[in-house]
Amino acid sequence: MTTPLHVLVLAAGKGTRMKNGRPKVLHPLAGRSLLDHVLAVAAELEPSRVVLVLAPGMEEVAASARASGLPLSVAVQDPPLGTGHAVQVATAGLPAEGEVLVLYGDTPLIGAATLRGLLQARRRADAAVAVLGMSPPDRTGYGRFLQEGGRLAAIVEERHADPELKRTGLCNAGVMAMDAARLPELLAGIPHRPDKNEYYLTDIVELARQRDWACVAMEGPWQDGIGVNSQVQLAEAYRLFQERLRQVALEAGVIMTAPETVHLSADTEIEPGAILEPYVVIGPKVRIGARAHVQAFSHLADCSIDHGAEIGPFARVRPGSRIGSGAKIGNFVETKNALVEPGAKVNHLSYVGDASVGARANLGAGTITCNYDGFSKHRTEIGAGAFIGSNSALVAPVRIGTGALVGAGSVITMDVPDDALAVTRPQQIVRAGHAATLRARLAARKAGKP
Ligand code: UD1
Ligand code: MG
């Protein structure tokens, strides 16, 4: 029988240092909130239960977490009195068996492999507590591990650490694995810190040592343990996360000539052999098929790019777009909620919204689907093999039949049957020699002659 694993995610902090009033753990990082990053990793460990610790009034965070589909309950700290208090509140109703893993909601890059390593390290030593340490380049703000005789003796918060410990001690990543049976005694012993009116979770290490219970410190990759307390740290976490996403994509066979300029999302799916040119930005829920080619300065979100499709340069593929295999979306083209079937071409300066474009249809430069009347959105359907002349406005709802042809500059307000030709521009007038006559008259007027 496997031992039950309870994961606690601490997220009750106000996030004052973020300086914008928004709950810290709801700040987005590459298409996912900080909290969703942590919950996704928790899910990989298949826990028996996840307890999310929040402060009163954080319903928005609770609702977002419930959408994760995890076996999750919310514990409310009223008022929040530190990380130790958070764990006391979270474990109040839990059985004292199995393991408890504490994650901080503001540590989004934590990886499942690192957590598995920590859990194993605790089990191997039958330790009361195992803590994750790291050596990040910027050590500001982290607690430090105090080692004595090669053993972890305590975790000292930065403001209480002496200069030597600040410089040499491993930083506390804020992740702890604990033996559920011994935890209640440790939690009950956490002293009150009057200076901050808090109970520090980190104090349980010293309490365990006093009882001669084993404590394990495991150093993990520092990128895993980066904590986000400010906008500066959020931007740094984003940079590190992008590096990780690009590395995974390159190793999987995605072609990127300047990967450092390409921005991906946590859930981006790209098949091997797809090409991403420089300065491509990919928002959430994007799938890119093999041999698709996304050219420079394109922006994609919530869309699917099929095998061999060509996008950009300077294209914007918005939510609900599916670009079929071999189809082309060219420069300054915007699509939204649009199905562009295989082989269709929308090569220049177009807006295709709430529309379907049949296979091999060709939309000339400047074709616009007029999908919005100020109140509602309407659909445009363009049949397979249709040809839309440049600078045409298709006023939805409207249907252009299979193989139909629309003359350039038309404003189409009625359906066009299959294989029909529709033109709405006025008849062209040609008057021989009139340009020369007009020029002569205007020149004479300027020269002051009658
Ligand atoms: C904490 C650690 C520090 C560690 C660092 C890693 C303590 C005392 N300090 O400091 O050793 O190096 O994280 O990032 O644990 N929270 C609650 N309830 C509370 C207070 C905080 O749920 O009453 C949550 C916060 O929302 C946050 C996490 O716990 O997600 C950590 O709190 P934070 O205030 O960010 O602690 P740090 O100063 O970063
Ligand atoms: Mg923090």
Side-chain angles (χ1 to χ4, degrees), residues 218-242:
M218 186 191 96
E219 182 169 357
W222 64 266
Q223 292 88 343
D224 273 47
I226 284 294
V228 173
N229 298 309
S230 65
Q231 299 298 337
V232 172
Q233 286 173 329
L234 179 60
E236 175 62 4
Y238 178 86
R239 190 184 67 74
L240 291 167
F241 190 58
Q242 287 299 333

Side-chain angles (χ1 to χ4, degrees), residues 373-436:
D373 56 17
F375 294 91
S376 313
K377 303 278 168 66
H378 303 281
R379 286 195 63 77
T380 300
E381 284 173 33
I382 300 170
F387 184 96
I388 314 294
S390 294
N391 207 29
S392 292
L394 310 177
V395 182
V398 73
R399 187 183 167 277
I400 313 294
T402 302
L405 206 154
V406 170
S410 295
V411 177
I412 299 294
T413 52
M414 292 181 294
D415 289 356
V416 180
D418 293 354
D419 293 318
L421 165 70
V423 199
T424 69
R425 57 177 179 250
Q427 200 75 49
Q428 185 169 325
I429 302 164
V430 178
R431 292 197 183 117
H434 267 229

Side-chain angles (χ1 to χ4, degrees), residues 59 149 166 199 286 309 359 414:
E59 285 78 21
K166 267 197 212 172
Y199 296 85
V286 172
M414 292 181 294

Side-chain angles (χ1 to χ4, degrees), residues 9-15 17 24-25 53-55 58 77 79-87 103-107 134 141-145 155-159 171-176 196 198-203 225-229 233:
V9 179
L10 310 194
K14 285 200 285 289
R17 289 169 278 179
K24 172 160 74 174
V25 295
V53 183
L54 297 177
M58 294 178 84
Q77 262 184 297
L81 294 172
T83 47
H85 177 243
V87 174
L103 304 177
Y104 288 176
D106 68 352
T107 306
M134 57 173 181
Y142 296 106
R144 304 291 202 278
F145 290 178
I155 301 177
V156 184
E157 285 309 298
E158 185 171 62
R159 73 181 138 329
C171 291
N172 176 26
V175 177
M176 285 194 190
K196 287 226 141 193
E198 282 193 8
Y199 296 85
Y200 291 176
L201 179 63
T202 41
D203 282 341
I226 284 294
V228 173
N229 298 309
Q233 286 173 329

Side-chain angles (χ1 to χ4, degrees), residues 263-315:
H263 293 250
L264 305 170
S265 281
D267 62 355
T268 305
E269 289 174 39
I270 317 177
E271 286 179 19
I275 303 173
L276 302 184
E277 286 192 3
Y279 301 100
V280 166
V281 176
I282 297 182
K285 296 197 217 153
V286 172
R287 200 197 57 77
I288 300 176
R291 308 183 87 146
H293 185 170
V294 184
Q295 298 186 63
F297 297 100
S298 294
H299 191 287
L300 283 62
D302 192 358
C303 63
S304 184
I305 311 297
D306 289 354
H307 178 276
E310 279 183 43
I311 310 294
F314 298 98

